[in-house]
Amino acid sequence: MDRAGTLFPKLPLAQWVESFVDFLTNSLSVVFDTITAVLEFITENFVLLLEFVPPLLLIVLIALLAWWVVNWKLGLFALIGLGLINNLGYWPETIETIALVLVSVVISMVVGIPIGIWMSQKGAVQAIITPILDFMQTMPAFVYLIPAVVFFSLGMVPGVVATIIFSMPPTVRLTNLGIRQVDQELIEASNAFGSSTGQRLGKVQIPLAMPTIMAGINQTIMLSLSMVVIASMVGAPGLGTVVYRAVTQVAIGPGFEGGLSLVILAMLLDRITQGANKN
């Protein structure tokens, strides 16, 4: 028996994984460098764009957006909450967090929604992708940081990549679910009028499934925010860095301020996306 107490020797799974990662690193280094350059360009310029707008003006614009999408109460909450974050001195970190979350969510939507549509049309595709989504959702988030750092070094990019992998499954699942739940009679009626697959998706299934798809996007946003602190461990800037630094230094005050800023941002993004869903 080996030290694991079994009759069979331990499978060298760790060595297999490390060999596979080394193979990818050596063979696809150009691909990873390109992805890193593109994501750095997008995130850095997005941060610069947000920083170009004076904080008070940007806070007012976000408050007006919340008022327009939901109601005046959320607009007032946005004005007070974001004003508090600015007063505490965490506005630059908030901008970086917004950039990380929005870039991750947009990429998750661009990749996840088409995959969900594909799953809804092909049972075989759903059977293959569903276990992959299960793996992505159940794997501890910290594990994603290891290959992210190996492939993309430190900084914002590995944080974005890890966030995308962790937060994409709800968008894929609920896109697939929403389209599959469309009334079969409506689909048969569209087929009777000679609609193609694209016409049926674009004019019947996707519009009717939009509330469910938006619910998936909302969950993706929340999961992205939950990854902010974890992503800070690999150098991703933002409010997560404030919280992580406070934890390592056992600084209760700054940790509470950073956590409160994250809560305000999460509540605001959650209510806005829910309001957009209802509209």
Side-chain angles (χ1 to χ4, degrees):
M1 287 190 180
D2 65 357
R3 65 178 183 175
T6 64
L7 296 174
F8 303 100
K10 177 185 175 181
L11 288 173
L13 183 59
Q15 289 84 349
W16 292 346
V17 172
E18 290 177 357
S19 298
F20 180 65
V21 170
D22 290 339
F23 168 76
L24 291 179
T25 303
N26 296 327
S27 303
L28 302 177
S29 59
V30 175
V31 176
F32 295 133
D33 290 343
T34 302
I35 294 174
T36 300
V38 171
L39 289 179
E40 280 184 349
F41 177 81
I42 293 173
T43 53
E44 289 177 1
N45 282 277
F46 190 35
V47 170
L48 289 174
L49 176 63
L50 293 177
E51 288 180 341
F52 179 76
V53 183
L56 294 180
L57 177 58
L58 186 56
I59 290 171
V60 171
L61 291 175
I62 295 174
L64 291 174
L65 174 65
W67 187 352
W68 178 62
V69 173
V70 185
N71 54 39
W72 68 268
K73 295 179 182 178
L74 186 65
L76 181 61
F77 172 78
L79 193 64
I80 296 173
L82 295 178
L84 175 62
I85 293 174
N86 185 45
N87 176 264
L88 294 174
Y90 297 121
W91 189 249
E93 290 82 1
T94 301
I95 292 296
E96 292 168 337
T97 298
I98 292 174
L100 187 153
V101 170
L102 291 186
V103 170
S104 301
V105 170
V106 169
I107 295 175
S108 296
M109 291 169 57
V110 170
V111 176
I113 291 177
I115 293 176
I117 294 173
W118 191 24
M119 289 174 63
S120 71
Q121 303 302 301
K122 302 288 185 180
V125 174
Q126 178 178 246
I128 294 171
I129 294 181
T130 298
I132 298 175
L133 296 176
D134 294 338
F135 179 86
M136 292 169 65
Q137 285 189 292
T138 55
M139 178 67 71
F142 288 94
V143 178
Y144 294 132
L145 300 181
I146 302 172
V149 170
V150 171
F151 295 142
F152 304 103
S153 187
L154 296 175
M156 177 76 83
V157 174
V160 170
V161 172
T163 302
I164 291 170
I165 297 173
F166 181 70
S167 63
M168 188 191 299
T171 295
V172 179
R173 288 185 187 276
L174 290 179
T175 299
N176 173 43
L177 178 64
I179 293 175
R180 286 183 176 274
Q181 285 183 334
V182 173
D183 194 337
Q184 193 64 32
E185 293 182 358
L186 295 175
I187 297 175
E188 292 173 357
S190 66
N191 291 335
F193 283 102
S195 299
S196 64
T197 301
Q199 290 173 329
R200 186 178 67 248
L201 279 169
K203 296 182 178 180
V204 178
Q205 291 177 293
I206 292 179
L208 292 174
M210 191 54 66
T212 306
I213 295 173
M214 287 299 298
I217 294 172
N218 177 267
Q219 290 187 23
T220 293
I221 292 173
M222 294 299 101
L223 288 175
S224 298
L225 279 166
S226 72
M227 275 291 291
V228 167
V229 178
I230 298 175
S232 68
M233 298 177 65
V234 294
L239 293 171
T241 303
V242 176
V243 176
Y244 180 63
R245 188 186 304 119
V247 171
T248 57
Q249 297 175 356
V250 197
I252 299 176
F256 178 80
E257 290 178 344
L260 179 62
S261 300
L262 275 173
V263 169
I264 292 171
L265 190 58
M267 291 176 63
L268 188 57
L269 291 175
D270 177 59
R271 300 301 188 275
I272 290 176
T273 52
Q274 285 186 10
N277 185 15
K278 292 177 182 178
N279 293 335

